Amino acid sequence: MEAIYLIGFMGSGKTTVSQELAKKLEVAVYDTDQEIVKLAGKTINEIFSIDGEEKFRELESKVLYSLPLKDAVVSTGGGIIGSEKNRAFLSGKMNVVFLNAEFSIIMERLKDDDTRPLLSTNNIEAAETLYNSRIPFYREAAFIEIDTSCKSVSIIVNEIIQRMKK
Ligand SMILES: Nc1ncnc2c1ncn2[C@@H]1O[C@H](COP(=O)(O)OP(=O)(O)O)[C@@H](O)[C@H]1O
Ligand SMILES: O=C(O)C1=C[C@@H](OP(=O)(O)O)[C@@H](O)[C@H](O)C1
């Protein structure tokens, strides 16, 4: 099976859905953020604050291209579509799924989360601008788009499986 890539904004459910989807498909699951942490030996927050976002993006692309192309579900960081090279890598693939959730629902899901340096919940306007600026890029790279706003993880997993069969 070609690897399945989950893309979408922070809090759209990529990590959560990837784990259940991989279990159902009986394949491996990878999370680019977790692979970056392993590679760098630092947390995402530490990479951003010590090395800067540019270094983070270099590590992100390196990890993306290093992961298996088959029999895997890959949960990607929300900014992975920011680089043209990453978009080109993903756009050529059939199994790229854009998990889209309404901005207000994302902010509710992440209201107590401090692991995302780019999402300062005390600057909602900046976060929404970033969200809106990225939607076209997610759509450019994705083969399937699924709204995760008001659905359970299992419903989303089943919808991905059904949509990929078509
Ligand atoms: N379908 C869903 N419905 C409700 N909450 C969800 C759903 N998917 C994810 N969440 C919750 O939203 C938060 C962010 O989910 P996560 O999988 O980390 O998103 P991402 O990897 O896209 O940043 C977590 O607290 C998670 O439990
Ligand atoms: O949107 C982004 O630029 C980022 C999203 C994060 O991943 P999640 O989408 O899993 O939160 C993580 O890669 C980093 O904080 C940058």
Side-chain angles (χ1 to χ4, degrees):
M1 178 198 91
E2 293 295 319
I4 298 171
Y5 297 84
L6 303 185
I7 65 174
F9 201 69
M10 294 169 264
S12 58
K14 302 181 295 293
T15 300
T16 308
V17 168
S18 67
Q19 290 163 352
E20 191 161 324
L21 180 61
K23 201 183 298 177
K24 190 141 188 159
L25 295 173
E26 296 180 341
V27 296
V29 59
Y30 299 93
D31 184 295
T32 56
D33 279 351
Q34 289 169 18
E35 297 301 317
I36 292 166
V37 167
K38 278 192 256 179
L39 189 61
K42 297 173 191 167
T43 67
I44 302 293
N45 278 324
E46 286 168 342
I47 298 169
F48 269 80
S49 58
I50 298 166
D51 305 302
E53 183 173 355
E54 192 176 337
K55 179 64 180 172
F56 176 82
R57 298 301 175 196
E58 278 171 30
L59 292 169
E60 190 172 49
S61 296
K62 186 174 179 179
V63 159
L64 177 65
Y65 309 149
S66 72
L67 290 173
L69 298 173
K70 290 199 180 297
D71 302 328
V73 177
V74 178
S75 172
T76 66
I80 207 152
I81 41 75
S83 111
E84 200 173 333
K85 198 174 164 201
N86 291 355
R87 291 199 299 274
F89 173 86
L90 291 166
S91 303
K93 300 185 181 315
M94 294 286 280
N95 295 343
V96 179
V97 181
F98 170 26
L99 298 185
N100 193 9
E102 287 166 29
F103 179 73
S104 58
I105 288 182
I106 281 176
M107 294 314 280
E108 178 58 28
R109 287 177 183 173
L110 300 183
K111 64 181 185 301
D112 300 321
D113 185 298
D114 62 357
T115 64
R116 294 162 168 94
L118 292 182
L119 199 59
S120 52
T121 45
N122 55 17
N123 189 342
I124 302 286
E125 205 172 288
E128 190 158 19
T129 301
L130 182 65
Y131 172 87
N132 289 323
S133 72
R134 286 178 171 180
I135 297 291
F137 292 125
Y138 293 131
R139 286 184 170 141
E140 175 193 328
F143 184 69
I144 297 170
E145 176 175 341
I146 291 183
D147 187 338
T148 71
S149 301
C150 300
K151 289 175 191 164
S152 69
V153 175
S154 52
I155 293 277
I156 295 163
V157 166
N158 290 333
E159 189 174 339
I160 292 171
I161 292 170
Q162 287 312 311
R163 297 272 300 271
M164 287 179 60
K165 281 179 183 163
K166 288 179 183 155

